Amino acid sequence: MKTLTKGRMWLFAVGQFGWALLSGLIGSWLVYFYQPDASSVAAGQVPLIPQGRVVFGVLTIIGLITASGRIFDAVTDPLFASFSDKCRAKEGRRIPFLRWSAVPFAVVTVLVFCAPFKQKSAANVVWLFVMISLYYLCITAYCTPYTALYSELGHTEKERMAASTAISLTFIAGTAAAYTAPALWGIFEPSVGRISAIRLAFAVLACLALVCLFFPVLFIKEKEYVDVQPVRSSAFESFKTTFKNKEFRVFVCSDIFYWIGLTMFQTGLPFFITSLMGLGENMFTPMFIGMTAMSLVFYVPINFATHRFGKKKMVMSAFLLFTAVFAFTAVTGAALGIPPLVQGILVVAAGSLPMAIFGILPQAMVADVAEYDAKHTGENRQGMFFAVRTFCFKLGQSVAMLLFTSLATIGAGTGKGYRLVAFISAVLCLTGGIILSFFNEKKITAALKKE
C-alpha cells in the first residue's frame, strides 16, 4: 500500500474545510437566525417561528427542533458507519459515500434558512424540522465515512498525527469561513434586505464548501492507500463490540461533557459579544477570525509538546483552559471594569490554545484506539469507532441545544440567561477533564509501538 504524501494529505484535508464550513453555518447562525435577540430585531431581523419557552412552558421551538435533529443524526451515525464498513464498491469503502452526499449536503444547508413565510408561522416550524432532519442525514452520510477514511490513510501513529493536524487546520479554516457570514451579508443587505442578505451569504459560502467536498473524491484513490476487508458483522453487533473497549468508553464519556459545554458556549458566543460585552455585531467576524488565526500559531508547538507529554495530558490542560475562559465570559460586562474590547480580546486570546488542542488531538486519540482495537480483534471497524464517538457527542449536543435555548430566555434583556449558560459550560468542561484522567493512554501507546 502507498504512503499518503503530504500533498495528497492536504488535498484530502480540503474536504474537511467543506463540511466544517457547512457545519459552522448551522452551528453558529441557526439559533441567531431563528431566535434573534433585541439587537438583531432592531437591525431588521424578523422572528420566523414562535419565540420563548412555548413547549410545556420549558422548551423553545428552535431548541426542540435542533435537539431532535441531533438525536436523529446520532442514531443514523452507526448505521452509515456500518454501511461504509461493509461497502464493497470498486472505489473503496468510503469514497462512494462522499461522492453522492456532497451536493445534497450543500443544498440542504442553505434550505435550512429558507423558511417559506416572512412572519411567524407553523409552516415555517414544519419546514425547519424537515430541513434540519435532512441536513443531519446528509452530514452523517459525508462525515462518518470521511473520518473513517482519515484513520485508515495513516498507517503509523506519526502519519495519523500529521493527518489529524492537517484536517484540524482545514476544520478551523472552514469554521472561520462560516464566521465571515456577517461581513458578507453586510455587503448584500442594503440591496436586498437583512433576511435575504443572510440567505444569499450562506448560499455563496455553501457553493465554496461544495467545491471543497469533492476534493477527496477527485484526488484520493482509496484502494491505493487502504487494503482493508469489509466488515461482516451487523451494525448492532459492531456498535456493541466497539463499546467493549474500556479506554474508548472513558474517552467518549469525557467527550460528551466537552461537547455539551462547547456547543452551549459556541451557540451563545454571538450573544455574549453583543448582550454581555456590549460590542456591536460588526465585531463577530474579527473576533471569530482572530481566535482562529491565533489558534494556528499553536499548531507546531502542540505537536512538539504532544510528543513529550502525550495526548492525554495535553487535552486535560485544554479542558482546564476552556473552563477558565467560559467562567470569565460568565462575568464579562460593564461591572467588570475592563473595556469591552479588551474583554473580547482576552476571550479570543485565552480560547485559541485549547481550541487548537481540541482541534488536533481527540481525532488522533480515537484513531489510535481504533488501530489498537483492530490489532487485537482482527476487525477494522474504524468507521464504527468514529460513528460511536459522534453518536455520543451528538446526543450531548442535543442536550446542549435544549439547555441553551431555554436558559437564554431567563431574565430576557438582562443577560442573566447568557451568564448562566457560560458558567454551566465551564462546569461541564471541568467535569470532562476529570473523567479523561482515567484514560489509560500508556497501554494504547505501548501496544501500538510493540506492533
Side-chain angles (χ1 to χ4, degrees):
M1 289 290 100
K2 291 182 178 180
T3 297
L4 198 68
T5 64
K6 288 185 178 180
R8 293 286 173 179
M9 182 190 301
W10 283 105
L11 289 172
F12 173 75
V14 172
Q16 180 99 348
F17 177 95
W19 77 255
L21 173 50
L22 296 177
S23 175
L25 293 179
I26 298 296
S28 299
W29 304 116
L30 181 66
V31 175
Y32 190 78
F33 184 80
Y34 280 105
Q35 188 173 297
D37 61 5
S39 62
S40 298
V41 173
Q45 185 79 22
V46 178
L48 300 176
I49 62 175
Q51 305 291 293
R53 299 191 297 272
V54 296
V55 182
F56 308 122
V58 177
L59 305 176
T60 63
I61 294 290
I62 185 64
L64 189 61
I65 289 176
T66 52
S68 63
R70 278 294 185 186
I71 292 171
F72 173 71
D73 184 22
V75 170
T76 56
D77 267 323
L79 294 177
F80 274 96
S82 180
F83 297 154
S84 177
D85 282 344
K86 294 192 292 185
C87 180
R88 296 178 180 273
K90 64 179 181 179
E91 295 176 280
R93 298 196 296 175
R94 319 299 183 186
I95 292 296
F97 288 87
L98 308 188
R99 180 188 301 279
W100 295 109
S101 61
V103 172
F105 185 14
V107 171
V108 170
T109 301
V110 178
L111 291 178
V112 165
F113 298 93
C114 296
F117 295 97
K118 297 180 180 180
Q119 62 282 327
K120 293 178 187 178
S121 168
N124 286 344
V125 174
V126 174
W127 173 276
L128 181 57
F129 176 79
V130 172
M131 290 302 150
I132 279 290
S133 299
L134 290 175
Y135 162 81
Y136 283 121
L137 182 67
C138 291
I139 193 173
T140 297
Y142 189 94
C143 295
T144 298
Y146 180 90
T147 51
L149 182 56
Y150 139 74
S151 177
E152 294 167 337
L153 290 173
H155 301 145
T156 66
E157 183 182 4
K158 183 178 180 180
E159 289 177 7
R160 288 191 293 273
M161 270 295 295
S164 182
T165 302
I167 65 173
S168 175
L169 283 166
T170 51
F171 176 82
I172 288 180
T175 304
Y179 291 150
T180 66
L184 193 56
W185 78 56
I187 296 173
F188 301 135
E189 193 169 348
S191 301
V192 298
R194 183 176 177 84
I195 291 182
S196 294
I198 292 174
R199 290 168 174 165
L200 184 56
F202 290 164
V204 171
L205 292 172
C207 288
L208 171 61
L210 179 59
V211 173
C212 297
L213 292 177
F214 273 105
F215 267 62
V217 176
L218 297 174
F219 298 111
I220 301 296
K221 296 186 184 300
E222 182 180 337
K223 289 202 169 181
E224 291 184 0
Y225 303 98
V226 180
D227 183 22
V228 174
Q229 293 300 315
V231 173
R232 297 181 180 276
S233 56
S234 68
F236 178 75
E237 289 172 343
S238 184
F239 185 90
K240 185 172 63 174
T241 303
T242 300
F243 256 119
K244 288 182 179 179
N245 189 301
K246 178 186 175 183
E247 307 315 319
F248 185 64
R249 291 199 305 271
V250 173
F251 172 85
V252 163
C253 186
S254 168
D255 210 36
I256 289 173
F257 279 90
Y258 163 70
W259 281 104
I260 296 176
L262 180 70
T263 303
M264 289 175 63
F265 188 83
Q266 182 184 39
T267 306
L269 199 50
F271 303 102
F272 301 152
I273 292 172
T274 56
S275 296
L276 298 188
M277 299 179 195
L279 296 170
E281 189 181 79
N282 63 327
M283 291 302 299
F284 291 168
T285 298
M287 286 187 64
F288 291 148
I289 299 298
M291 182 179 290
T292 301
M294 289 191 66
S295 71
L296 299 180
V297 174
F298 295 110
Y299 268 59
V300 172
I302 286 171
N303 273 273
F304 280 111
T306 299
H307 286 300
R308 179 174 180 180
F309 300 109
K311 301 180 185 74
K312 173 183 170 180
K313 289 182 179 179
M314 293 294 291
V315 175
M316 287 180 63
S317 68
F319 268 118
L320 292 176
L321 286 169
F322 261 149
T323 299
V325 172
F326 296 170
F328 174 77
T329 303
V331 298
T332 54
L336 198 60
I338 301 174
L341 183 58
V342 175
Q343 294 179 34
I345 292 172
L346 288 173
V347 170
V348 166
S352 58
L353 176 56
M355 180 180 177
I357 292 173
F358 276 109
I360 301 172
L361 299 185
Q363 288 273 70
M365 292 174 75
V366 176
D368 287 346
V369 173
E371 184 69 16
Y372 169 86
D373 190 81
K375 299 292 186 184
H376 286 73
T377 66
E379 279 200 319
N380 293 277
R381 290 176 287 105
Q382 285 90 344
M384 188 58 72
F385 269 95
F386 282 96
V388 170
R389 183 208 176 190
T390 53
F391 171 82
C392 293
F393 83 61
K394 285 172 183 176
L395 288 179
Q397 288 178 321
S398 301
V399 174
M401 295 307 296
L402 287 173
L403 287 173
F404 175 82
T405 54
S406 296
L407 291 171
T409 62
I410 296 175
T414 67
K416 185 183 296 184
Y418 299 136
R419 296 187 190 282
L420 187 57
V421 165
F423 175 75
I424 292 175
S425 297
V427 173
L428 289 167
C429 268
L430 181 61
T431 305
I434 293 171
I435 294 172
L436 188 65
S437 66
F438 295 96
F439 180 80
N440 191 344
E441 183 183 32
K442 291 183 179 180
K443 181 179 74 173
I444 302 292
T445 303
L448 291 178
K449 285 183 178 179
K450 183 178 180 180
E451 291 291 343

Coordinates of all heavy atoms in Angstrom, one line a residue, residues 326-378:
F326 N -14.6 30.1 29.8 CA -16.0 30.1 29.9 C -16.5 30.8 31.2 O -17.4 31.5 31.2 CB -16.6 28.6 29.9 CG -16.3 27.9 28.6 CD1 -16.6 26.6 28.5 CD2 -15.8 28.6 27.5 CE1 -16.4 25.9 27.3 CE2 -15.6 27.9 26.3 CZ -15.9 26.6 26.2
A327 N -15.7 30.5 32.3 CA -16.0 31.2 33.6 C -15.8 32.7 33.5 O -16.6 33.5 34.0 CB -15.2 30.6 34.7
F328 N -14.8 33.1 32.8 CA -14.5 34.5 32.7 C -15.6 35.2 31.8 O -16.1 36.3 32.2 CB -13.2 34.8 32.0 CG -12.9 36.2 31.6 CD1 -12.5 37.1 32.6 CD2 -13.1 36.7 30.3 CE1 -12.3 38.4 32.3 CE2 -12.8 38.0 30.0 CZ -12.4 38.9 31.0
T329 N -16.1 34.5 30.8 CA -17.2 35.0 29.9 C -18.4 35.2 30.8 O -19.2 36.2 30.5 CB -17.4 34.1 28.8 OG1 -16.2 33.9 28.0 CG2 -18.5 34.6 27.9
A330 N -18.7 34.4 31.7 CA -19.9 34.5 32.6 C -19.9 35.8 33.4 O -21.0 36.2 33.8 CB -20.0 33.3 33.5
V331 N -18.8 36.4 33.6 CA -18.7 37.6 34.4 C -18.4 38.9 33.6 O -18.2 39.9 34.2 CB -17.8 37.5 35.6 CG1 -18.2 36.4 36.5 CG2 -16.3 37.3 35.1
T332 N -18.3 38.7 32.3 CA -18.0 39.9 31.4 C -19.1 40.9 31.5 O -20.2 40.6 31.9 CB -17.7 39.5 30.0 OG1 -18.9 38.7 29.5 CG2 -16.5 38.7 29.9
G333 N -18.8 42.2 31.1 CA -19.8 43.2 31.1 C -19.2 44.5 31.8 O -18.0 44.5 32.2
A334 N -20.0 45.5 31.8 CA -19.5 46.8 32.4 C -19.1 46.7 33.8 O -18.2 47.4 34.2 CB -20.7 47.8 32.2
A335 N -19.7 45.8 34.6 CA -19.4 45.7 36.0 C -18.0 45.2 36.3 O -17.4 45.4 37.3 CB -20.4 44.8 36.7
L336 N -17.4 44.6 35.3 CA -16.0 44.0 35.4 C -15.0 45.1 35.5 O -13.9 44.9 36.0 CB -15.8 43.1 34.3 CG -14.6 42.1 34.4 CD1 -14.9 41.2 35.7 CD2 -14.5 41.2 33.2
G337 N -15.3 46.3 34.9 CA -14.4 47.4 35.0 C -13.3 47.3 33.9 O -12.3 48.1 34.0
I338 N -13.5 46.5 32.9 CA -12.5 46.4 31.8 C -13.2 46.8 30.6 O -14.3 46.4 30.3 CB -12.0 44.9 31.7 CG1 -11.3 44.4 33.0 CG2 -11.0 44.7 30.6 CD1 -11.0 43.0 33.1
P339 N -12.5 47.5 29.7 CA -13.2 47.9 28.4 C -13.7 46.7 27.7 O -13.0 45.7 27.6 CB -12.0 48.6 27.7 CG -11.1 49.1 28.7 CD -11.2 48.1 29.8
P340 N -14.9 46.9 27.1 CA -15.5 45.7 26.4 C -14.6 45.1 25.3 O -14.5 43.9 25.2 CB -16.7 46.4 25.7 CG -17.1 47.5 26.5 CD -15.8 48.1 27.0
L341 N -13.9 45.9 24.5 CA -13.0 45.3 23.5 C -11.9 44.5 24.1 O -11.5 43.4 23.6 CB -12.4 46.5 22.7 CG -11.5 46.0 21.5 CD1 -12.3 45.1 20.6 CD2 -11.0 47.2 20.7
V342 N -11.4 45.0 25.3 CA -10.3 44.2 26.0 C -10.9 42.9 26.5 O -10.2 41.8 26.4 CB -9.7 45.0 27.1 CG1 -8.7 44.2 27.9 CG2 -9.1 46.3 26.6
Q343 N -12.1 42.9 27.0 CA -12.7 41.6 27.4 C -12.8 40.6 26.2 O -12.5 39.5 26.4 CB -14.1 41.9 27.9 CG -14.1 42.7 29.2 CD -15.5 43.0 29.7 OE1 -16.4 42.2 29.6 NE2 -15.8 44.2 30.3
G344 N -13.2 41.2 25.1 CA -13.3 40.3 23.9 C -12.0 39.7 23.5 O -11.9 38.6 23.2
I345 N -10.9 40.6 23.5 CA -9.6 40.1 23.2 C -9.1 39.1 24.1 O -8.4 38.1 23.7 CB -8.6 41.3 23.1 CG1 -9.0 42.3 22.0 CG2 -7.2 40.9 23.0 CD1 -8.2 43.6 22.0
L346 N -9.4 39.2 25.4 CA -9.0 38.2 26.4 C -9.6 36.9 26.1 O -9.0 35.8 26.2 CB -9.3 38.7 27.8 CG -8.5 39.8 28.4 CD1 -9.0 40.3 29.7 CD2 -7.0 39.4 28.6
V347 N -10.9 36.9 25.8 CA -11.6 35.6 25.5 C -11.0 35.0 24.2 O -10.7 33.8 24.2 CB -13.1 35.9 25.3 CG1 -13.8 34.6 24.7 CG2 -13.8 36.3 26.6
V348 N -10.7 35.8 23.2 CA -10.1 35.3 22.0 C -8.8 34.7 22.2 O -8.4 33.6 21.8 CB -10.1 36.4 20.9 CG1 -9.2 36.0 19.8 CG2 -11.5 36.8 20.4
A349 N -7.9 35.4 23.0 CA -6.5 35.0 23.2 C -6.5 33.7 24.0 O -5.7 32.8 23.7 CB -5.7 36.1 23.8
A350 N -7.3 33.7 25.1 CA -7.2 32.6 26.0 C -7.9 31.3 25.4 O -7.5 30.2 25.7 CB -7.9 32.9 27.3
G351 N -8.9 31.5 24.5 CA -9.6 30.4 23.9 C -8.9 29.8 22.8 O -9.2 28.7 22.4
S352 N -7.9 30.5 22.2 CA -7.3 30.0 21.0 C -6.4 28.7 21.2 O -6.4 27.8 20.4 CB -6.4 31.1 20.3 OG -5.4 31.5 21.2
L353 N -5.7 28.6 22.3 CA -4.9 27.5 22.6 C -5.7 26.2 22.8 O -5.4 25.2 22.1 CB -3.9 27.7 23.8 CG -3.1 26.5 24.2 CD1 -2.2 26.0 23.1 CD2 -2.2 26.9 25.4
P354 N -6.7 26.2 23.7 CA -7.5 24.9 23.8 C -8.3 24.6 22.6 O -8.5 23.4 22.3 CB -8.4 25.3 25.0 CG -8.4 26.8 25.1 CD -7.1 27.2 24.7
M355 N -8.6 25.6 21.8 CA -9.3 25.4 20.5 C -8.4 24.6 19.6 O -8.8 23.6 18.9 CB -9.7 26.7 19.9 CG -10.4 26.6 18.5 SD -10.8 28.3 17.9 CE -11.5 27.8 16.3
A356 N -7.1 24.9 19.6 CA -6.1 24.2 18.7 C -5.9 22.8 19.2 O -5.9 21.9 18.4 CB -4.8 25.0 18.7
I357 N -5.8 22.6 20.5 CA -5.6 21.3 21.1 C -6.7 20.4 20.8 O -6.5 19.2 20.3 CB -5.3 21.4 22.6 CG1 -4.0 22.1 22.9 CG2 -5.3 20.0 23.2 CD1 -3.8 22.4 24.4
F358 N -7.9 20.8 21.0 CA -9.1 20.0 20.7 C -9.3 19.8 19.2 O -9.9 18.8 18.8 CB -10.4 20.6 21.3 CG -10.6 20.3 22.8 CD1 -10.4 21.2 23.8 CD2 -10.9 19.0 23.2 CE1 -10.6 20.9 25.1 CE2 -11.1 18.7 24.5 CZ -10.9 19.6 25.5
G359 N -8.8 20.7 18.4 CA -8.9 20.5 17.0 C -8.0 19.4 16.5 O -8.4 18.7 15.5
I360 N -6.8 19.1 17.2 CA -5.9 18.1 16.7 C -6.0 16.8 17.4 O -6.2 15.7 16.7 CB -4.4 18.6 16.9 CG1 -4.2 19.9 16.1 CG2 -3.5 17.5 16.4 CD1 -2.9 20.6 16.4
L361 N -6.0 16.8 18.7 CA -5.7 15.5 19.4 C -6.9 14.6 19.6 O -6.6 13.3 19.6 CB -5.1 15.9 20.8 CG -3.8 16.7 20.7 CD1 -3.2 16.9 22.1 CD2 -2.8 16.0 19.8
P362 N -8.1 15.0 19.9 CA -9.2 13.9 20.1 C -9.3 13.0 18.9 O -9.5 11.8 19.1 CB -10.4 14.8 20.4 CG -9.9 16.0 21.0 CD -8.6 16.3 20.2
Q363 N -9.3 13.6 17.7 CA -9.4 12.7 16.5 C -8.2 11.7 16.5 O -8.5 10.5 16.2 CB -9.3 13.6 15.2 CG -10.5 14.4 15.0 CD -11.5 13.7 14.2 OE1 -12.2 12.7 14.7 NE2 -11.7 14.0 12.9
A364 N -7.0 12.1 16.8 CA -5.9 11.2 16.8 C -6.0 10.2 17.9 O -5.6 9.0 17.7 CB -4.6 12.0 17.0
M365 N -6.6 10.5 19.0 CA -6.8 9.6 20.1 C -7.8 8.5 19.7 O -7.6 7.3 20.0 CB -7.3 10.3 21.4 CG -6.3 11.2 22.0 SD -6.9 12.2 23.4 CE -7.1 10.9 24.7
V366 N -8.9 8.9 19.0 CA -9.8 7.9 18.5 C -9.2 7.0 17.5 O -9.4 5.7 17.5 CB -11.1 8.6 17.9 CG1 -12.0 7.5 17.3 CG2 -11.8 9.4 19.0
A367 N -8.4 7.6 16.6 CA -7.7 6.8 15.6 C -6.7 5.7 16.2 O -6.7 4.6 15.8 CB -6.9 7.7 14.6
D368 N -6.0 6.2 17.3 CA -5.1 5.2 18.0 C -5.9 4.1 18.6 O -5.5 2.9 18.5 CB -4.4 6.0 19.1 CG -3.3 6.9 18.5 OD1 -3.0 6.8 17.3 OD2 -2.8 7.8 19.3
V369 N -7.0 4.4 19.3 CA -7.8 3.4 19.9 C -8.4 2.4 18.9 O -8.4 1.2 19.1 CB -9.0 4.0 20.7 CG1 -9.9 2.9 21.3 CG2 -8.4 4.8 21.9
A370 N -8.8 3.0 17.7 CA -9.4 2.1 16.7 C -8.3 1.2 16.1 O -8.6 0.0 15.8 CB -10.0 3.0 15.5
E371 N -7.1 1.7 15.9 CA -6.0 0.9 15.4 C -5.6 -0.2 16.5 O -5.4 -1.4 16.1 CB -4.8 1.8 15.1 CG -3.6 1.1 14.5 CD -3.9 0.6 13.1 OE1 -4.8 1.1 12.5 OE2 -3.1 -0.3 12.6
Y372 N -5.6 0.2 17.7 CA -5.3 -0.8 18.8 C -6.3 -1.9 18.8 O -6.0 -3.1 18.9 CB -5.3 0.0 20.1 CG -5.3 -0.9 21.4 CD1 -4.1 -1.3 21.9 CD2 -6.5 -1.3 22.0 CE1 -4.1 -2.2 23.0 CE2 -6.5 -2.1 23.1 CZ -5.3 -2.5 23.6 OH -5.2 -3.3 24.8
D373 N -7.6 -1.5 18.7 CA -8.7 -2.5 18.7 C -8.6 -3.4 17.5 O -8.8 -4.6 17.6 CB -10.0 -1.8 18.7 CG -11.2 -2.7 19.0 OD1 -11.4 -3.0 20.1 OD2 -11.8 -3.1 18.0
A374 N -8.2 -2.9 16.3 CA -8.1 -3.7 15.1 C -7.0 -4.7 15.3 O -7.2 -5.9 14.8 CB -7.9 -2.8 13.9
K375 N -5.9 -4.4 15.9 CA -4.8 -5.3 16.1 C -5.2 -6.5 17.0 O -4.8 -7.6 16.9 CB -3.6 -4.6 16.7 CG -3.0 -3.4 15.9 CD -2.4 -3.9 14.6 CE -1.7 -2.8 13.8 NZ -1.2 -3.2 12.5
H376 N -6.1 -6.2 18.0 CA -6.5 -7.2 19.0 C -7.7 -8.0 18.6 O -7.9 -9.1 19.2 CB -6.6 -6.5 20.3 CG -5.3 -6.1 21.0 ND1 -4.6 -5.0 20.5 CD2 -4.6 -6.6 22.0 CE1 -3.5 -4.9 21.3 NE2 -3.5 -5.9 22.2
T377 N -8.6 -7.4 17.8 CA -9.8 -8.2 17.4 C -9.8 -8.7 16.0 O -10.6 -9.6 15.7 CB -11.0 -7.3 17.6 OG1 -11.0 -6.2 16.6 CG2 -11.1 -6.7 19.0
G378 N -8.9 -8.2 15.2 CA -8.8 -8.6 13.8 C -9.9 -8.0 12.9 O -10.0 -8.3 11.7

